[in-house]
Amino acid sequence: MLPEDSVLVGVINRKRDFTYARDQHWYRVPQAKLARGVTADYLGFFTSGKSFGDHSGGIHYYAENTGLELQYRRDLLPNEPDHPRANDAYYRVALGDLQPKLPPVTNPTNRSISFIYTTWDRFVAAQTIADLYNPDDYYVDRIYYALQKQGFTADRTWSVESKSDQFAPGLRILCDNGASVIASTRADGGVYFMDQSQHADAILPAILAQIANNGGPATLSIPSGE
């Protein structure tokens, strides 16, 4: 384990999905949520729901990523053939044994959790969700959820992905005339720069204007679950 190893934190809100991770050693990720794939070295699991008892609302486990396959949901979960996303593609991430995260990562401010990319050194030291973010990631996260409240689906990148993406951390919104790219670093080529000296709400109108100039969003729907 190296400090710069990457960790993807995902959500488990059904006991059966936790059982798959613990006993069958796999976890599923919607391809639509992480279009660039699952490249993390390790996965952390944020468990949520009454069935998890004292482990609800925190990251208590992690596992090594040992392999990746792309499958349809109907094949991963054959007992749910009528699910509305049965024909959607999912990454089936093969896992090593679940390991306890000590100390666990709690969520005292009840932040919205979807997926979080972070580094191993941050993950090991983290005691709250906020500890997983560096300042750039935290700012992009605020913009991401602000856009989501406006009805926009954004594909986000994290600072840990900067070696493979010059605009990371940042956001991409698929538009009718191409993608709108919003980056936390200055770049050429029509990329909108998110100036962190400004409040996130102050730059949201400029981002919405760029999306409009690109023909508007290609999709407005946000999946309600996995």
Side-chain angles (χ1 to χ4, degrees):
M1 301 173 183
L2 300 174
E4 64 271 19
D5 283 348
S6 56
V7 181
L8 173 66
V9 176
V11 177
I12 295 180
N13 52 28
R14 303 195 310 178
K15 200 70 175 181
R16 74 186 73 175
D17 291 327
F18 181 79
T19 300
Y20 296 146
R22 182 191 62 197
D23 300 341
Q24 299 183 20
H25 301 281
W26 64 274
Y27 176 71
R28 59 191 168 88
V29 176
Q31 184 188 32
K33 288 289 187 71
L34 292 177
R36 298 176 307 283
V38 180
T39 59
D41 301 295
Y42 297 89
L43 274 74
F45 301 105
F46 182 92
T47 49
S48 177
K50 293 181 179 179
S51 62
F52 291 102
D54 293 341
H55 284 189
S56 179
I59 303 169
H60 293 265
Y61 301 96
Y62 70 92
E64 186 178 4
N65 176 0
T66 62
L68 194 68
E69 295 179 84
L70 191 61
Q71 297 186 13
Y72 291 112
R73 191 186 196 278
R74 63 174 183 266
D75 298 322
L76 283 170
L77 301 171
N79 293 329
E80 301 178 22
D82 298 324
H83 193 279
R85 286 178 294 283
N87 294 320
D88 287 2
Y90 281 68
Y91 297 108
R92 184 190 187 278
V93 186
L95 305 171
D97 292 336
L98 289 191
Q99 304 293 331
K101 169 64 177 78
L102 300 173
V105 183
T106 61
N107 190 22
T109 59
N110 294 318
R111 289 178 62 88
S112 297
I113 303 296
S114 179
F115 290 101
I116 301 172
Y117 260 115
T118 189
T119 53
W120 177 253
D121 56 347
R122 285 182 176 272
F123 183 75
V124 169
Q127 297 188 40
T128 70
I129 291 295
D131 296 333
L132 299 173
Y133 294 82
N134 74 14
D136 288 345
D137 283 334
Y138 182 76
Y139 193 77
V140 171
D141 190 62
R142 294 182 65 186
I143 300 296
Y144 175 85
Y145 283 108
L147 286 169
Q148 192 174 77
K149 288 180 180 179
Q150 295 283 332
F152 294 96
T153 300
D155 177 29
R156 70 168 301 173
T157 55
W158 299 80
S159 59
V160 73
E161 299 175 280
S162 60
K163 290 182 180 179
S164 59
D165 190 324
Q166 63 175 319
F167 302 128
L171 301 167
R172 287 180 176 83
I173 298 97
L174 183 62
C175 299
D176 285 340
N177 298 330
S180 289
V181 179
I182 300 110
S184 58
T185 56
R186 295 188 183 277
D188 297 327
V191 176
Y192 181 81
F193 168 60
M194 291 183 288
D195 185 352
Q196 295 188 40
S197 66
Q198 296 182 305
H199 191 277
D201 292 342
I203 68 170
L204 189 59
I207 294 174
L208 295 178
Q210 176 168 319
I211 294 170
N213 288 337
N214 271 348
T219 177
L220 291 173
S221 61
I222 299 175
S224 59
E226 282 74 56

